[in-house]
Amino acid sequence: MKFACLLYEDMTSLDLIGPLEVFGSVPGAEFVYASPSSEEVSGGQVSAERTGLALGPAMHFDEVSSADVLLIPGGTGSRELTRHEPLLEWIRDIDRTTTWTTSVCTGALLLAAAGLLDGRRATTHWAEFEHLAKLGALPVHERVVRDDKFVTAAGVSAGIDMGLVLVGEMFGELLAQAIQLGIEYDPEPPFDTGSPDRAPTEMVEMVRAAATAND
Amino acid sequence: MKFACLLYEDMTSLDLIGPLEVFGSVPGAEFVYASPSSEEVSGGQVSAERTGLALGPAMHFDEVSSADVLLIPGGTGSRELTRHEPLLEWIRDIDRTTTWTTSVCTGALLLAAAGLLDGRRATTHWAEFEHLAKLGALPVHERVVRDDKFVTAAGVSAGIDMGLVLVGEMFGELLAQAIQLGIEYDPEPPFDTGSPDRAPTEMVEMVRAAATAND
């Protein structure tokens, strides 16, 4: 089973790594990393936002023509890519070959900009619901949203939940449950502020302003 | 504030990225990535277990002499490093400069092998409690364990909780709460199998055998 993951400058590393850690335990899983930068320019690497962590080995997306699962992570770098027509065309092309097309956080904006979420239920980071709606999708406040073969996750950490839900769909719940045990996913968030529904309004507005500064 | 993160071959990428995503939103945070491989050999990259994802830019640990926070992730590659005396010496040396010394999953085995957890309460992946005890620590079944300046997290995904707890300690709860909202950490694990206390016994033994195959 071939997983193609989009890598790009100023992506959010956890958007990728959450589901990737889950998919990594699928028997026979293979991974390819595709990027809008050519290998000569990027050295086959992209830098994640904030931490400067380099991720790779990224080949140019032109070199990746099919996948069973497409995974599009989010990040501040996703904003300008919503206008990168060759990348959007690649997303449409590869989607024709996939069994599942997935995103985490603002990765959904790229799927929507490519036209793949037109009229479909989807989710993204809570601060980007209007943006997602403007791009033609029907935003839904759920952690993981499935519409046909399109599986979108809410902000950043939701990719772990999405990965487990998808492995359950693909291979049955026993494997997904065993992976959940293997990564000891028994979360204990220290605060009750992970959702805008429960965080203080002032905090929500501050985080929204920071999250949407590049829109 | 300088965060030094150990990178090594066959590390678990989520062990690193969970806390890193949290620390990345700390104002003024700087990150250095230190590895047991020399840059000439590794090209400044290490490959994560299972997914082949390359992480960097790693400099040799000799080039990193101090940090405010040391972060040691786990992974199958940690096993042989428990006998890598120059690395253990570096861990002891850098620990003398830190305000906080932290680990995720089997990263605790490296702290323990370096002698830093002798007689201290600590945690690791649930399948590695005996191993941790043999190395001199007092294993505790908690998600995040703090003993003096040593903060250890349980398996893989527990690094997110650890990161938030530590930011709360370092900078106060408001910043940690805002980061939790920013990464939308409002987890919805799809199954109730994230802990060996609640997963079926047969599944626990299967996952334990896989997790400890390289011990």
Side-chain angles (χ1 to χ4, degrees):
Chain A
M1 171 159 283
K2 183 173 162 187
F3 294 83
C5 308
L6 184 69
L7 301 187
Y8 55 88
E9 288 296 310
D10 291 324
M11 60 181 280
T12 303
S13 52
L14 185 53
D15 289 20
L16 171 72
I17 302 295
L20 204 62
E21 199 62 59
V22 173
F23 298 151
S25 291
V26 165
E30 284 173 69
F31 299 90
V32 293
Y33 304 104
S35 153
S37 316
S38 75
E39 212 167 319
E40 295 83 59
V41 173
S42 67
Q45 300 289 320
V46 306
S47 286
E49 61 179 358
R50 289 192 285 270
T51 61
L53 189 74
L55 304 168
M59 58 181 88
H60 189 268
F61 61 68
D62 275 350
E63 296 173 61
V64 180
S65 57
S66 70
D68 298 301
V69 178
L70 173 65
L71 170 60
I72 311 268
T76 52
S78 64
R79 310 305 199 278
E80 66 176 88
L81 294 180
T82 58
R83 297 179 293 273
H84 188 307
E85 197 43 55
L87 176 66
L88 301 179
E89 193 175 325
W90 176 76
I91 291 174
R92 285 188 289 270
D93 285 347
I94 201 154
D95 171 67
R96 284 187 201 104
T97 76
T98 64
T99 308
W100 300 97
T101 292
T102 74
S103 66
V104 178
C105 197
T106 59
L109 301 179
L110 294 177
L111 293 182
L116 296 177
L117 300 181
D118 284 358
R120 290 192 183 276
R121 299 170 73 251
T123 195
T124 184
H125 191 281
W126 57 265
E128 297 287 347
F129 270 44
E130 282 181 35
H131 196 164
L132 184 62
K134 272 184 201 157
L135 291 167
L138 308 174
V140 179
H141 256 304
E142 286 171 20
R143 189 85 177 149
V144 178
V145 175
R146 181 181 162 189
D147 186 329
D148 193 46
K149 73 173 193 177
F150 299 94
V151 186
T152 53
V156 191
S157 60
I160 301 175
D161 300 318
M162 188 274 280
L164 290 167
V165 167
L166 189 55
V167 168
E169 285 283 335
M170 292 192 293
F171 298 97
E173 298 201 341
L174 272 181
L175 179 62
Q177 289 170 352
I179 293 174
Q180 187 177 329
L181 177 60
I183 64 169
E184 205 165 345
Y185 188 46
D186 185 29
E188 289 182 15
F191 311 106
D192 190 24
T193 58
S195 159
D197 300 340
R198 295 189 308 283
T201 309
E202 209 169 277
M203 185 176 285
V204 170
E205 291 319 312
M206 187 189 75
V207 172
R208 186 195 305 277
T212 58
N214 297 301
D215 281 3
Chain B
M1 171 156 286
K2 183 173 162 188
F3 294 82
C5 308
L6 184 69
L7 302 187
Y8 55 87
E9 289 296 309
D10 290 325
M11 61 182 282
T12 303
S13 52
L14 185 53
D15 289 20
L16 171 72
I17 303 295
L20 204 62
E21 200 62 59
V22 173
F23 299 150
S25 291
V26 165
E30 283 174 68
F31 298 90
V32 293
Y33 304 104
S35 151
S37 316
S38 76
E39 212 167 319
E40 296 83 60
V41 174
S42 66
Q45 300 289 320
V46 306
S47 286
E49 59 180 1
R50 289 192 286 268
T51 61
L53 188 73
L55 305 168
M59 58 180 89
H60 189 268
F61 60 69
D62 275 350
E63 295 174 60
V64 180
S65 57
S66 69
D68 297 301
V69 179
L70 173 64
L71 170 60
I72 311 267
T76 52
S78 63
R79 307 310 197 279
E80 65 175 271
L81 294 180
T82 58
R83 296 179 293 274
H84 190 306
E85 197 44 54
L87 176 66
L88 301 180
E89 194 176 324
W90 175 77
I91 291 175
R92 284 188 291 269
D93 285 347
I94 202 153
D95 171 66
R96 283 186 202 103
T97 75
T98 64
T99 308
W100 300 97
T101 292
T102 74
S103 66
V104 178
C105 197
T106 58
L109 301 179
L110 293 177
L111 293 182
L116 297 176
L117 300 181
D118 284 357
R120 289 192 183 278
R121 299 169 74 251
T123 196
T124 185
H125 191 282
W126 57 266
E128 295 288 346
F129 269 44
E130 282 182 35
H131 196 165
L132 184 62
K134 272 184 201 155
L135 291 167
L138 306 174
V140 179
H141 255 304
E142 286 170 19
R143 189 86 177 150
V144 179
V145 175
R146 180 182 164 190
D147 186 331
D148 192 48
K149 74 172 192 176
F150 299 94
V151 187
T152 53
V156 191
S157 59
I160 300 174
D161 300 317
M162 188 273 283
L164 291 167
V165 167
L166 189 55
V167 168
E169 285 283 336
M170 292 191 294
F171 299 97
E173 297 201 341
L174 272 181
L175 178 61
Q177 288 169 353
I179 293 174
Q180 187 177 328
L181 177 60
I183 65 170
E184 205 165 345
Y185 189 46
D186 185 30
E188 289 182 15
F191 311 106
D192 190 23
T193 58
S195 159
D197 300 339
R198 296 189 308 282
T201 309
E202 208 169 278
M203 186 177 284
V204 171
E205 292 317 315
M206 188 189 74
V207 172
R208 185 194 305 277
T212 57
N214 296 303
D215 282 3

